Amino acid sequence: MFFTGKGGVGKTSLACATAVALADGGRRVLLVSTDPASNLDEVLGVRLSTRPTEVPGVARLSALNIDPETAAHDYRERVVGPYRALLPASAVARIDEQLSGACTVEIAAFDEFTTLLADAKTTADFHHVIFDTAPTGHTLRLLKLPAAWTGFIDTNTTGTSCLGPLAGLQGRITLYRESLAALSNPDVTTIVLVTRPEASALAEAMRTSGELKDLGVAHQRLVVNGVFTAHDPDDFVARALEARGRGALLELPERLAALPRTDVPLLSWAPIGLDGLRRVFRAPVDGAAGIGSPEVPVDLPGPISVLVDDIERDGRGVVLTMGKGGVGKTTTAAAIAVELAARGHEVLLSTTDPAAHVADTIGDALPGLRVSRIDPAAETKAYSDEVIAAAAPRLDARGRDLLEEDLRSPCTEEIAVFRAFARSVGEGEHGFVVLDTAPTGHTLLLLDAAEAYHREVSRTHAAVPDAVRHLLPRLRDPQFTRVLLVTLPEATPVHEAAQLQEDLRRAGIEPFAWVVNQSFAGGAISDPVLRERGVREAPYLAEVRERLARRVAWVPWYPEPPVGSACLRRFARRVAEPMPAPAIAQPCP
């Protein structure tokens, strides 16, 4: 059973709640996270590893994280180990070097995933294996890899997969074919498409459903998480939130409407810990259980526009928005880009997230603002054409066949996207570049792999572009690159951003500021469920302000969808204030 969907829709909470419910019902369950930024440990309240760990307090439930770096280490040892006693140290070091790239990390994680999926002996002790997956873009790639690698190996006639990071794939083709068969078998695999009652999350669920059906993975269910019913008819925010959700579900695409569907109410508490998880499927349909926390006065930070005051002083540079999926990275990036353009700067707004749609967020054109996206397919073709053109004069027909076959490997896309990312950062030398990044796990792999990609690009016949060579110094320059960590005022997003901050610091990159988004704090809300959520934000707001961030901006939840330049400027300038009177979801002026 795979739980997938847009970042922030509640995949981990629902996967954990389902696993606990099945185990409590007498089934033996293995819960697996494929997300490089897994939150299973915090949600279950137990420290996990890459091997099944029994979850205290839940008989018959075990859990593990697929850790890409650990998987890559094991994979390297599987490939290099047999040669250590046979080859000179320099030759072994050379093989190690070839296996140090980001492609090896992806292959190794994929190898772990397929073993759990298709090797019956590995999961023989369990009735169910539940996969809590990374946000959609990363997961779609993971689920497509069995077909991609099977096809690559099937058509590989020249033996390039015996070299470099692909070496360990030899002998695994049977496992990959069995993985494909398991994914396509409705008696074995169920895809749970998790969504919020929001247009963007439903659109992503729709896209995921279609792409998986094209792969033959057709046994799907839909779970709509966070369905909200207003309790206080005088609360404008509550009425608007309910109306927005109902409107989105009324527009449910036909393909999603045809799936079996479960609605889960918006809860007044965060489902963390076994007690909270066990209450998820027992909560009243209005989600109002657990109300009554004492209210604590909160000193709220200023708006995003205050951060822009600092960002614009140098007249150029790169702004990166990072954080957990679903926290508002795209909206924050778009709002900063619009604010900078409105102040007269030349701005490029782009994204590394294959699932993001920055152009839809901007809506109308704005002088000085260009909008683009890194298109993996287009970048892969351009990169492959460039490599072949550079190498062709030195190659005979056999060599060209080898090179073309190597470039058909799924690894090529990772290198091509990385180069495009470096090129976008380089444009910050001549104006402002605002980059919306993919959710944490994928972004970490992108950044941590920078030097490894540099080596991989160097091994090809193409010259290393200046943008790649200068990428790390640019990212580490605090006068050039400003990283904004975006979070919701809740435990998991705050702690994931805190971990990301530590990872960035280890890479020599110091975050510029934090943005706390979609807050219900501030005392302007009377609906009991939303007010309770606002009260429970207090410790996380304090944690961000007092322990984690040098600068903080705060954005309240607001009825209007943040789409279009006028709304985005209001998003950047929002402060705590009484909500306007009684119209619902009025368009921005």
Side-chain angles (χ1 to χ4, degrees):
M1 185 180 294
F2 287 85
F3 284 74
T4 186
K6 188 174 186 291
V9 297
K11 296 181 295 297
T12 299
S13 299
L14 293 178
C16 289
T18 302
V20 170
L22 285 170
D24 284 347
R27 310 293 286 177
R28 295 191 301 275
V29 182
L30 176 62
L31 178 59
V32 180
S33 173
T34 67
D35 190 343
S38 171
N39 299 307
L40 283 189
D41 297 44
E42 180 167 35
V43 175
L44 293 173
V46 60
R47 187 170 184 80
L48 301 177
S49 70
T50 58
R51 298 289 175 257
T53 300
E54 294 183 357
V55 178
V58 190
R60 298 172 292 277
L61 175 60
S62 297
L64 66 85
N65 292 313
I66 293 179
D67 176 42
E69 294 298 334
T70 302
H73 175 269
D74 294 344
Y75 182 87
R76 277 194 294 271
E77 278 308 301
R78 201 170 79 214
V79 175
V80 179
Y83 298 104
R84 291 197 186 280
L86 303 175
L87 298 177
S90 59
V92 173
R94 176 62 178 163
I95 299 174
D96 261 334
E97 172 71 11
Q98 286 192 334
L99 292 170
S100 65
C103 188
T104 299
V105 175
E106 183 182 63
I107 290 171
F110 162 70
D111 206 51
E112 292 276 310
F113 162 69
T114 51
T115 299
L116 289 166
L117 184 62
D119 186 348
K121 290 184 293 186
T122 306
T123 56
D125 293 336
F126 302 99
H127 293 112
H128 305 280
V129 181
I130 296 178
F131 290 93
D132 170 36
T133 71
T136 308
H138 192 261
T139 298
L140 277 176
R141 180 166 170 78
L142 185 71
L143 294 178
K144 288 177 178 177
L145 281 174
W149 281 115
T150 301
F152 177 73
I153 295 172
D154 278 346
T155 58
N156 185 302
T157 58
T158 56
T160 56
S161 61
C162 294
L163 305 175
L166 313 186
L169 294 176
Q170 294 299 308
R172 308 287 281 181
I173 185 67
T174 301
L175 187 64
Y176 300 160
R177 288 201 177 102
E178 289 173 352
S179 297
L180 268 176
L183 285 171
S184 306
N185 186 345
D187 294 330
V188 175
T189 298
T190 299
I191 300 292
V192 181
L193 300 166
V194 184
T195 182
R196 292 275 182 180
E198 299 168 358
S200 60
L202 287 165
E204 195 157 319
M206 177 68 179
R207 180 172 73 91
T208 305
S209 174
E211 293 194 24
L212 291 178
K213 280 187 175 177
D214 290 343
L215 288 172
V217 186
H219 190 224
Q220 303 175 2
R221 298 185 61 90
L222 181 69
V223 175
V224 183
N225 187 31
V227 176
F228 176 69
T229 303
H231 295 71
D232 184 347
D234 296 325
D235 188 321
F236 170 62
V237 171
R239 288 166 50 210
L241 182 59
E242 179 181 347
R244 189 194 289 187
R246 288 186 187 278
L249 292 177
L250 284 174
E251 300 294 325
L252 196 64
E254 187 175 340
R255 174 180 289 167
L256 296 182
L259 297 175
R261 171 178 150 187
T262 302
D263 288 356
V264 178
L266 183 71
L267 304 174
S268 59
W269 75 92
I272 292 180
L274 298 180
D275 181 55
L277 292 170
R278 285 188 166 112
R279 288 193 292 154
V280 168
F281 295 130
R282 301 173 187 166
V285 292
D286 58 9
I291 289 177
S293 301
E295 194 155 347
V296 178
V298 177
D299 184 18
L300 296 170
I304 289 175
S305 57
V306 174
L307 301 181
V308 178
D309 293 343
D310 288 338
I311 291 170
E312 72 167 338
R313 286 200 179 101
D314 292 330
R316 63 164 197 148
V318 174
V319 177
L320 294 168
T321 56
M322 298 184 182
K324 189 178 186 301
V327 297
K329 296 183 297 298
T330 302
T331 301
T332 302
I336 290 171
V338 165
E339 186 69 20
L340 285 167
R343 298 184 187 194
H345 299 286
E346 294 293 321
V347 183
L348 169 65
L349 171 64
S350 187
T351 179
T352 68
D353 186 352
H357 302 281
V358 290
D360 293 342
T361 304
I362 292 293
D364 46 348
L366 191 67
L369 176 61
R370 292 180 294 133
V371 181
S372 70
R373 63 183 290 267
I374 295 175
D375 181 340
E379 294 297 339
T380 301
K381 182 178 186 311
Y383 171 68
S384 298
D385 290 347
E386 180 186 331
V387 171
I388 291 171
R394 302 191 301 273
L395 298 177
D396 58 16
R398 172 71 173 166
R400 185 185 172 96
D401 287 345
L402 279 167
L403 179 59
E404 289 180 347
E405 187 164 285
D406 196 37
L407 289 170
R408 286 197 294 273
S409 150
C411 290
T412 303
E413 179 180 308
E414 294 286 338
I415 298 172
V417 168
F418 173 76
R419 284 163 46 102
F421 170 67
R423 190 171 64 243
S424 297
V425 170
E427 289 198 40
E429 295 285 355
H430 312 291
F432 283 107
V433 175
V434 182
L435 279 169
D436 163 42
T437 69
T440 309
H442 198 260
T443 298
L444 272 179
L445 292 179
L446 186 71
L447 292 174
D448 286 350
E451 291 187 59
Y453 269 113
H454 185 105
R455 289 193 295 271
E456 284 193 27
V457 172
S458 300
R459 281 203 302 272
T460 71
H461 296 282
V464 178
D466 283 346
V468 173
R469 187 174 294 111
H470 296 307
L471 176 62
L472 279 179
R474 283 172 173 153
L475 292 177
R476 289 169 173 163
D477 181 356
Q479 297 303 311
F480 183 82
T481 296
R482 273 91 173 184
V483 174
L484 271 63
L485 296 174
V486 185
T487 184
L488 304 181
E490 301 171 9
T492 300
V494 166
H495 297 153
E496 185 170 316
Q499 182 58 53
L500 174 58
Q501 179 163 265
E502 291 306 308
D503 290 332
L504 288 167
R505 284 173 173 164
R506 278 194 289 274
I509 301 168
E510 180 62 33
F512 173 73
W514 285 53
V515 175
V516 180
N517 190 25
Q518 297 181 22
S519 172
F520 290 108
I525 293 171
S526 56
D527 183 275
V529 171
L530 302 185
R531 194 174 187 85
E532 177 75 13
R533 290 180 70 92
V535 169
R536 294 183 184 228
E537 292 174 5
Y540 306 110
L541 284 166
E543 184 176 357
V544 171
R545 293 199 70 171
E546 297 167 11
R547 291 187 44 233
L548 296 172
R550 296 180 178 180
R551 304 176 184 82
V552 186
W554 177 84
V555 185
W557 193 91
Y558 207 73
E560 69 215 13
V563 175
S565 58
C567 283
L568 288 167
R569 288 207 75 187
R570 290 189 59 178
F571 179 91
R573 293 167 176 271
R574 279 176 195 154
V575 294
E577 59 185 9
M579 293 297 166
I584 292 180
Q586 292 286 346
C588 284

